Amino acid sequence: QVQLVESGGDLVQAGGSLRLSCTASGRIFSINRMGWYRQAPGKQRELVAVITSGGSTDYADSVKGRFTISRDNAKNTVYLQMNSLKPEDTAVYYCNAYIYSRGYNDYWGQGTQVTVSS
């Protein structure tokens, strides 16, 4: 059984910073890409940032220059450093990972709430 557990969501004022963490555990042989998605009320889930096992990254245009994704392969952990937060960043943030356990599958965390007040 593979689990992803996120942490770090909070209430923060506009212009502030937060760091999200997500750790994968269980019967894991390898992790390919890891990423963060978010879903605001009444909107579809959208990609925020993704990082490959080799360290290549990609970001949504709306967060480029403000958010940084990184990972620690030894800890099976992915991070999202969020700076210069805006009220429109308010959403539930979900961790995603493409993991080889019994074959490759997509796994999701339970989500962590990020609220940015104006």
Side-chain angles (χ1 to χ4, degrees), residues 35-66:
W36 291 92
Y37 290 71
R38 67 186 181 187
Q39 187 167 19
K43 295 189 176 182
Q44 288 190 328
R45 191 173 297 189
E46 63 176 1
L47 174 68
V48 176
V50 64
I51 184 168
T52 68
S53 56
S56 297
T57 59
D58 196 15
Y59 297 89
D61 287 342
S62 58
V63 307
K64 282 181 181 176
R66 300 188 298 122

PDB file of all heavy atoms in Angstrom, residues 35-66:
ATOM      1  N   GLY A  35       4.482  15.866  -8.273  1.00  0.00           N
ATOM      2  CA  GLY A  35       3.955  17.186  -8.584  1.00  0.00           C
ATOM      3  C   GLY A  35       2.912  17.660  -7.598  1.00  0.00           C
ATOM      4  O   GLY A  35       2.513  16.933  -6.685  1.00  0.00           O
ATOM      5  N   TRP A  36       2.521  18.910  -7.811  1.00  0.00           N
ATOM      6  CA  TRP A  36       1.483  19.531  -7.002  1.00  0.00           C
ATOM      7  C   TRP A  36       0.372  20.042  -7.914  1.00  0.00           C
ATOM      8  O   TRP A  36       0.648  20.659  -8.964  1.00  0.00           O
ATOM      9  CB  TRP A  36       2.059  20.701  -6.195  1.00  0.00           C
ATOM     10  CG  TRP A  36       2.988  20.279  -5.116  1.00  0.00           C
ATOM     11  CD1 TRP A  36       4.350  20.154  -5.196  1.00  0.00           C
ATOM     12  CD2 TRP A  36       2.629  19.891  -3.786  1.00  0.00           C
ATOM     13  NE1 TRP A  36       4.854  19.726  -3.996  1.00  0.00           N
ATOM     14  CE2 TRP A  36       3.822  19.562  -3.113  1.00  0.00           C
ATOM     15  CE3 TRP A  36       1.417  19.802  -3.091  1.00  0.00           C
ATOM     16  CZ2 TRP A  36       3.840  19.143  -1.782  1.00  0.00           C
ATOM     17  CZ3 TRP A  36       1.445  19.402  -1.777  1.00  0.00           C
ATOM     18  CH2 TRP A  36       2.640  19.067  -1.130  1.00  0.00           C
ATOM     19  N   TYR A  37      -0.836  19.784  -7.504  1.00  0.00           N
ATOM     20  CA  TYR A  37      -2.020  20.292  -8.167  1.00  0.00           C
ATOM     21  C   TYR A  37      -2.812  21.089  -7.129  1.00  0.00           C
ATOM     22  O   TYR A  37      -2.597  20.950  -5.930  1.00  0.00           O
ATOM     23  CB  TYR A  37      -2.888  19.146  -8.693  1.00  0.00           C
ATOM     24  CG  TYR A  37      -2.290  18.406  -9.866  1.00  0.00           C
ATOM     25  CD1 TYR A  37      -1.188  17.578  -9.703  1.00  0.00           C
ATOM     26  CD2 TYR A  37      -2.837  18.532 -11.140  1.00  0.00           C
ATOM     27  CE1 TYR A  37      -0.646  16.901 -10.783  1.00  0.00           C
ATOM     28  CE2 TYR A  37      -2.311  17.854 -12.227  1.00  0.00           C
ATOM     29  CZ  TYR A  37      -1.222  17.042 -12.040  1.00  0.00           C
ATOM     30  OH  TYR A  37      -0.671  16.367 -13.112  1.00  0.00           O
ATOM     31  N   ARG A  38      -3.748  21.892  -7.617  1.00  0.00           N
ATOM     32  CA  ARG A  38      -4.611  22.613  -6.683  1.00  0.00           C
ATOM     33  C   ARG A  38      -6.020  22.707  -7.250  1.00  0.00           C
ATOM     34  O   ARG A  38      -6.224  22.672  -8.464  1.00  0.00           O
ATOM     35  CB  ARG A  38      -4.066  24.006  -6.382  1.00  0.00           C
ATOM     36  CG  ARG A  38      -4.075  24.975  -7.563  1.00  0.00           C
ATOM     37  CD  ARG A  38      -3.380  26.265  -7.169  1.00  0.00           C
ATOM     38  NE  ARG A  38      -3.373  27.239  -8.261  1.00  0.00           N
ATOM     39  CZ  ARG A  38      -2.720  28.393  -8.231  1.00  0.00           C
ATOM     40  NH1 ARG A  38      -2.009  28.726  -7.146  1.00  0.00           N
ATOM     41  NH2 ARG A  38      -2.765  29.209  -9.255  1.00  0.00           N
ATOM     42  N   GLN A  39      -6.965  22.833  -6.323  1.00  0.00           N
ATOM     43  CA  GLN A  39      -8.364  22.962  -6.721  1.00  0.00           C
ATOM     44  C   GLN A  39      -9.026  24.015  -5.846  1.00  0.00           C
ATOM     45  O   GLN A  39      -9.119  23.832  -4.624  1.00  0.00           O
ATOM     46  CB  GLN A  39      -9.095  21.627  -6.609  1.00  0.00           C
ATOM     47  CG  GLN A  39     -10.502  21.658  -7.176  1.00  0.00           C
ATOM     48  CD  GLN A  39     -11.082  20.273  -7.351  1.00  0.00           C
ATOM     49  OE1 GLN A  39     -10.623  19.306  -6.762  1.00  0.00           O
ATOM     50  NE2 GLN A  39     -12.093  20.166  -8.193  1.00  0.00           N
ATOM     51  N   ALA A  40      -9.467  25.080  -6.481  1.00  0.00           N
ATOM     52  CA  ALA A  40     -10.192  26.134  -5.783  1.00  0.00           C
ATOM     53  C   ALA A  40     -11.680  25.827  -5.837  1.00  0.00           C
ATOM     54  O   ALA A  40     -12.138  25.088  -6.726  1.00  0.00           O
ATOM     55  CB  ALA A  40      -9.898  27.483  -6.440  1.00  0.00           C
ATOM     56  N   PRO A  41     -12.470  26.378  -4.920  1.00  0.00           N
ATOM     57  CA  PRO A  41     -13.912  26.121  -4.915  1.00  0.00           C
ATOM     58  C   PRO A  41     -14.551  26.465  -6.256  1.00  0.00           C
ATOM     59  O   PRO A  41     -14.328  27.546  -6.808  1.00  0.00           O
ATOM     60  CB  PRO A  41     -14.425  27.044  -3.806  1.00  0.00           C
ATOM     61  CG  PRO A  41     -13.262  27.224  -2.902  1.00  0.00           C
ATOM     62  CD  PRO A  41     -12.054  27.226  -3.790  1.00  0.00           C
ATOM     63  N   GLY A  42     -15.317  25.514  -6.792  1.00  0.00           N
ATOM     64  CA  GLY A  42     -16.025  25.746  -8.045  1.00  0.00           C
ATOM     65  C   GLY A  42     -15.167  25.656  -9.284  1.00  0.00           C
ATOM     66  O   GLY A  42     -15.640  25.931 -10.382  1.00  0.00           O
ATOM     67  N   LYS A  43     -13.905  25.277  -9.117  1.00  0.00           N
ATOM     68  CA  LYS A  43     -13.002  25.188 -10.269  1.00  0.00           C
ATOM     69  C   LYS A  43     -12.446  23.781 -10.403  1.00  0.00           C
ATOM     70  O   LYS A  43     -12.479  22.980  -9.468  1.00  0.00           O
ATOM     71  CB  LYS A  43     -11.853  26.186 -10.120  1.00  0.00           C
ATOM     72  CG  LYS A  43     -12.289  27.636 -10.156  1.00  0.00           C
ATOM     73  CD  LYS A  43     -11.094  28.555 -10.215  1.00  0.00           C
ATOM     74  CE  LYS A  43     -11.522  30.009 -10.347  1.00  0.00           C
ATOM     75  NZ  LYS A  43     -10.355  30.926 -10.445  1.00  0.00           N
ATOM     76  N   GLN A  44     -11.917  23.490 -11.592  1.00  0.00           N
ATOM     77  CA  GLN A  44     -11.302  22.190 -11.827  1.00  0.00           C
ATOM     78  C   GLN A  44      -9.906  22.137 -11.207  1.00  0.00           C
ATOM     79  O   GLN A  44      -9.251  23.166 -11.030  1.00  0.00           O
ATOM     80  CB  GLN A  44     -11.207  21.931 -13.336  1.00  0.00           C
ATOM     81  CG  GLN A  44     -12.545  21.638 -14.004  1.00  0.00           C
ATOM     82  CD  GLN A  44     -12.379  21.152 -15.432  1.00  0.00           C
ATOM     83  OE1 GLN A  44     -11.445  21.560 -16.123  1.00  0.00           O
ATOM     84  NE2 GLN A  44     -13.266  20.289 -15.873  1.00  0.00           N
ATOM     85  N   ARG A  45      -9.477  20.937 -10.908  1.00  0.00           N
ATOM     86  CA  ARG A  45      -8.116  20.749 -10.408  1.00  0.00           C
ATOM     87  C   ARG A  45      -7.135  21.115 -11.518  1.00  0.00           C
ATOM     88  O   ARG A  45      -7.331  20.741 -12.680  1.00  0.00           O
ATOM     89  CB  ARG A  45      -7.908  19.299  -9.971  1.00  0.00           C
ATOM     90  CG  ARG A  45      -6.627  19.055  -9.210  1.00  0.00           C
ATOM     91  CD  ARG A  45      -6.561  17.641  -8.672  1.00  0.00           C
ATOM     92  NE  ARG A  45      -7.625  17.382  -7.694  1.00  0.00           N
ATOM     93  CZ  ARG A  45      -7.668  16.281  -6.949  1.00  0.00           C
ATOM     94  NH1 ARG A  45      -6.721  15.361  -7.060  1.00  0.00           N
ATOM     95  NH2 ARG A  45      -8.660  16.105  -6.102  1.00  0.00           N
ATOM     96  N   GLU A  46      -6.083  21.832 -11.147  1.00  0.00           N
ATOM     97  CA  GLU A  46      -5.104  22.272 -12.140  1.00  0.00           C
ATOM     98  C   GLU A  46      -3.687  21.964 -11.675  1.00  0.00           C
ATOM     99  O   GLU A  46      -3.405  21.937 -10.463  1.00  0.00           O
ATOM    100  CB  GLU A  46      -5.226  23.780 -12.393  1.00  0.00           C
ATOM    101  CG  GLU A  46      -4.941  24.656 -11.193  1.00  0.00           C
ATOM    102  CD  GLU A  46      -4.968  26.138 -11.516  1.00  0.00           C
ATOM    103  OE1 GLU A  46      -5.231  26.515 -12.679  1.00  0.00           O
ATOM    104  OE2 GLU A  46      -4.731  26.939 -10.590  1.00  0.00           O
ATOM    105  N   LEU A  47      -2.814  21.757 -12.644  1.00  0.00           N
ATOM    106  CA  LEU A  47      -1.413  21.516 -12.344  1.00  0.00           C
ATOM    107  C   LEU A  47      -0.755  22.810 -11.876  1.00  0.00           C
ATOM    108  O   LEU A  47      -0.935  23.876 -12.470  1.00  0.00           O
ATOM    109  CB  LEU A  47      -0.694  21.004 -13.583  1.00  0.00           C
ATOM    110  CG  LEU A  47       0.819  20.835 -13.463  1.00  0.00           C
ATOM    111  CD1 LEU A  47       1.170  19.710 -12.507  1.00  0.00           C
ATOM    112  CD2 LEU A  47       1.434  20.574 -14.838  1.00  0.00           C
ATOM    113  N   VAL A  48       0.024  22.697 -10.793  1.00  0.00           N
ATOM    114  CA  VAL A  48       0.794  23.830 -10.284  1.00  0.00           C
ATOM    115  C   VAL A  48       2.254  23.698 -10.693  1.00  0.00           C
ATOM    116  O   VAL A  48       2.839  24.601 -11.275  1.00  0.00           O
ATOM    117  CB  VAL A  48       0.691  23.928  -8.756  1.00  0.00           C
ATOM    118  CG1 VAL A  48       1.572  25.065  -8.229  1.00  0.00           C
ATOM    119  CG2 VAL A  48      -0.757  24.133  -8.324  1.00  0.00           C
ATOM    120  N   ALA A  49       2.844  22.540 -10.381  1.00  0.00           N
ATOM    121  CA  ALA A  49       4.256  22.316 -10.688  1.00  0.00           C
ATOM    122  C   ALA A  49       4.533  20.830 -10.697  1.00  0.00           C
ATOM    123  O   ALA A  49       3.862  20.059 -10.003  1.00  0.00           O
ATOM    124  CB  ALA A  49       5.156  23.010  -9.662  1.00  0.00           C
ATOM    125  N   VAL A  50       5.531  20.433 -11.471  1.00  0.00           N
ATOM    126  CA  VAL A  50       5.915  19.029 -11.555  1.00  0.00           C
ATOM    127  C   VAL A  50       7.437  18.943 -11.634  1.00  0.00           C
ATOM    128  O   VAL A  50       8.092  19.852 -12.152  1.00  0.00           O
ATOM    129  CB  VAL A  50       5.250  18.345 -12.769  1.00  0.00           C
ATOM    130  CG1 VAL A  50       5.746  18.957 -14.069  1.00  0.00           C
ATOM    131  CG2 VAL A  50       5.461  16.850 -12.745  1.00  0.00           C
ATOM    132  N   ILE A  51       7.979  17.848 -11.099  1.00  0.00           N
ATOM    133  CA  ILE A  51       9.416  17.619 -11.135  1.00  0.00           C
ATOM    134  C   ILE A  51       9.662  16.155 -11.452  1.00  0.00           C
ATOM    135  O   ILE A  51       9.020  15.270 -10.894  1.00  0.00           O
ATOM    136  CB  ILE A  51      10.082  18.042  -9.806  1.00  0.00           C
ATOM    137  CG1 ILE A  51      11.598  17.891  -9.891  1.00  0.00           C
ATOM    138  CG2 ILE A  51       9.510  17.281  -8.609  1.00  0.00           C
ATOM    139  CD1 ILE A  51      12.329  18.562  -8.735  1.00  0.00           C
ATOM    140  N   THR A  52      10.588  15.899 -12.370  1.00  0.00           N
ATOM    141  CA  THR A  52      10.910  14.522 -12.740  1.00  0.00           C
ATOM    142  C   THR A  52      11.945  13.943 -11.777  1.00  0.00           C
ATOM    143  O   THR A  52      12.524  14.659 -10.959  1.00  0.00           O
ATOM    144  CB  THR A  52      11.455  14.459 -14.166  1.00  0.00           C
ATOM    145  OG1 THR A  52      12.746  15.108 -14.186  1.00  0.00           O
ATOM    146  CG2 THR A  52      10.521  15.151 -15.151  1.00  0.00           C
ATOM    147  N   SER A  53      12.203  12.665 -11.924  1.00  0.00           N
ATOM    148  CA  SER A  53      13.201  12.020 -11.079  1.00  0.00           C
ATOM    149  C   SER A  53      14.590  12.600 -11.323  1.00  0.00           C
ATOM    150  O   SER A  53      15.447  12.574 -10.440  1.00  0.00           O
ATOM    151  CB  SER A  53      13.215  10.512 -11.317  1.00  0.00           C
ATOM    152  OG  SER A  53      13.443  10.246 -12.694  1.00  0.00           O
ATOM    153  N   GLY A  54      14.797  13.159 -12.510  1.00  0.00           N
ATOM    154  CA  GLY A  54      16.080  13.758 -12.841  1.00  0.00           C
ATOM    155  C   GLY A  54      16.195  15.219 -12.437  1.00  0.00           C
ATOM    156  O   GLY A  54      17.252  15.825 -12.597  1.00  0.00           O
ATOM    157  N   GLY A  55      15.093  15.788 -11.954  1.00  0.00           N
ATOM    158  CA  GLY A  55      15.132  17.163 -11.468  1.00  0.00           C
ATOM    159  C   GLY A  55      14.601  18.210 -12.435  1.00  0.00           C
ATOM    160  O   GLY A  55      14.605  19.405 -12.109  1.00  0.00           O
ATOM    161  N   SER A  56      14.127  17.805 -13.592  1.00  0.00           N
ATOM    162  CA  SER A  56      13.526  18.770 -14.516  1.00  0.00           C
ATOM    163  C   SER A  56      12.192  19.234 -13.951  1.00  0.00           C
ATOM    164  O   SER A  56      11.440  18.440 -13.393  1.00  0.00           O
ATOM    165  CB  SER A  56      13.322  18.145 -15.895  1.00  0.00           C
ATOM    166  OG  SER A  56      14.560  17.778 -16.458  1.00  0.00           O
ATOM    167  N   THR A  57      11.912  20.525 -14.126  1.00  0.00           N
ATOM    168  CA  THR A  57      10.703  21.098 -13.536  1.00  0.00           C
ATOM    169  C   THR A  57       9.857  21.811 -14.592  1.00  0.00           C
ATOM    170  O   THR A  57      10.349  22.231 -15.639  1.00  0.00           O
ATOM    171  CB  THR A  57      11.049  22.109 -12.428  1.00  0.00           C
ATOM    172  OG1 THR A  57      11.862  23.149 -12.983  1.00  0.00           O
ATOM    173  CG2 THR A  57      11.811  21.435 -11.295  1.00  0.00           C
ATOM    174  N   ASP A  58       8.586  21.954 -14.262  1.00  0.00           N
ATOM    175  CA  ASP A  58       7.673  22.718 -15.098  1.00  0.00           C
ATOM    176  C   ASP A  58       6.630  23.341 -14.179  1.00  0.00           C
ATOM    177  O   ASP A  58       6.270  22.750 -13.156  1.00  0.00           O
ATOM    178  CB  ASP A  58       7.003  21.821 -16.133  1.00  0.00           C
ATOM    179  CG  ASP A  58       6.359  22.621 -17.254  1.00  0.00           C
ATOM    180  OD1 ASP A  58       6.664  23.830 -17.391  1.00  0.00           O
ATOM    181  OD2 ASP A  58       5.533  22.056 -17.991  1.00  0.00           O
ATOM    182  N   TYR A  59       6.176  24.539 -14.562  1.00  0.00           N
ATOM    183  CA  TYR A  59       5.266  25.288 -13.713  1.00  0.00           C
ATOM    184  C   TYR A  59       4.087  25.842 -14.511  1.00  0.00           C
ATOM    185  O   TYR A  59       4.213  26.143 -15.702  1.00  0.00           O
ATOM    186  CB  TYR A  59       5.982  26.482 -13.064  1.00  0.00           C
ATOM    187  CG  TYR A  59       7.106  26.111 -12.140  1.00  0.00           C
ATOM    188  CD1 TYR A  59       8.400  25.962 -12.615  1.00  0.00           C
ATOM    189  CD2 TYR A  59       6.873  25.913 -10.782  1.00  0.00           C
ATOM    190  CE1 TYR A  59       9.445  25.618 -11.763  1.00  0.00           C
ATOM    191  CE2 TYR A  59       7.909  25.582  -9.924  1.00  0.00           C
ATOM    192  CZ  TYR A  59       9.192  25.438 -10.426  1.00  0.00           C
ATOM    193  OH  TYR A  59      10.208  25.093  -9.573  1.00  0.00           O
ATOM    194  N   ALA A  60       2.966  26.012 -13.819  1.00  0.00           N
ATOM    195  CA  ALA A  60       1.862  26.767 -14.402  1.00  0.00           C
ATOM    196  C   ALA A  60       2.316  28.218 -14.559  1.00  0.00           C
ATOM    197  O   ALA A  60       3.076  28.738 -13.738  1.00  0.00           O
ATOM    198  CB  ALA A  60       0.641  26.691 -13.502  1.00  0.00           C
ATOM    199  N   ASP A  61       1.844  28.861 -15.621  1.00  0.00           N
ATOM    200  CA  ASP A  61       2.250  30.251 -15.865  1.00  0.00           C
ATOM    201  C   ASP A  61       1.913  31.149 -14.677  1.00  0.00           C
ATOM    202  O   ASP A  61       2.649  32.094 -14.376  1.00  0.00           O
ATOM    203  CB  ASP A  61       1.558  30.784 -17.125  1.00  0.00           C
ATOM    204  CG  ASP A  61       2.124  30.190 -18.404  1.00  0.00           C
ATOM    205  OD1 ASP A  61       3.245  29.636 -18.358  1.00  0.00           O
ATOM    206  OD2 ASP A  61       1.443  30.262 -19.437  1.00  0.00           O
ATOM    207  N   SER A  62       0.821  30.849 -14.003  1.00  0.00           N
ATOM    208  CA  SER A  62       0.350  31.706 -12.912  1.00  0.00           C
ATOM    209  C   SER A  62       1.262  31.697 -11.687  1.00  0.00           C
ATOM    210  O   SER A  62       1.154  32.575 -10.833  1.00  0.00           O
ATOM    211  CB  SER A  62      -1.060  31.290 -12.489  1.00  0.00           C
ATOM    212  OG  SER A  62      -1.070  29.938 -12.081  1.00  0.00           O
ATOM    213  N   VAL A  63       2.159  30.711 -11.588  1.00  0.00           N
ATOM    214  CA  VAL A  63       3.022  30.625 -10.402  1.00  0.00           C
ATOM    215  C   VAL A  63       4.501  30.772 -10.734  1.00  0.00           C
ATOM    216  O   VAL A  63       5.332  30.786  -9.819  1.00  0.00           O
ATOM    217  CB  VAL A  63       2.791  29.297  -9.642  1.00  0.00           C
ATOM    218  CG1 VAL A  63       1.315  29.104  -9.330  1.00  0.00           C
ATOM    219  CG2 VAL A  63       3.348  28.104 -10.415  1.00  0.00           C
ATOM    220  N   LYS A  64       4.827  30.878 -12.010  1.00  0.00           N
ATOM    221  CA  LYS A  64       6.237  30.996 -12.397  1.00  0.00           C
ATOM    222  C   LYS A  64       6.871  32.216 -11.741  1.00  0.00           C
ATOM    223  O   LYS A  64       6.284  33.301 -11.735  1.00  0.00           O
ATOM    224  CB  LYS A  64       6.367  31.096 -13.915  1.00  0.00           C
ATOM    225  CG  LYS A  64       6.218  29.778 -14.635  1.00  0.00           C
ATOM    226  CD  LYS A  64       6.369  29.929 -16.139  1.00  0.00           C
ATOM    227  CE  LYS A  64       6.195  28.589 -16.834  1.00  0.00           C
ATOM    228  NZ  LYS A  64       6.238  28.713 -18.315  1.00  0.00           N
ATOM    229  N   GLY A  65       8.061  32.020 -11.196  1.00  0.00           N
ATOM    230  CA  GLY A  65       8.766  33.107 -10.529  1.00  0.00           C
ATOM    231  C   GLY A  65       8.388  33.279  -9.074  1.00  0.00           C
ATOM    232  O   GLY A  65       9.052  34.021  -8.346  1.00  0.00           O
ATOM    233  N   ARG A  66       7.324  32.622  -8.629  1.00  0.00           N
ATOM    234  CA  ARG A  66       6.881  32.735  -7.231  1.00  0.00           C
ATOM    235  C   ARG A  66       6.991  31.404  -6.488  1.00  0.00           C
ATOM    236  O   ARG A  66       7.289  31.384  -5.293  1.00  0.00           O
ATOM    237  CB  ARG A  66       5.435  33.219  -7.174  1.00  0.00           C
ATOM    238  CG  ARG A  66       5.203  34.566  -7.806  1.00  0.00           C
ATOM    239  CD  ARG A  66       3.780  35.076  -7.535  1.00  0.00           C
ATOM    240  NE  ARG A  66       2.751  34.207  -8.103  1.00  0.00           N
ATOM    241  CZ  ARG A  66       1.793  33.625  -7.393  1.00  0.00           C
ATOM    242  NH1 ARG A  66       1.718  33.824  -6.074  1.00  0.00           N
ATOM    243  NH2 ARG A  66       0.886  32.867  -7.980  1.00  0.00           N
TER     244      ARG A  66
END
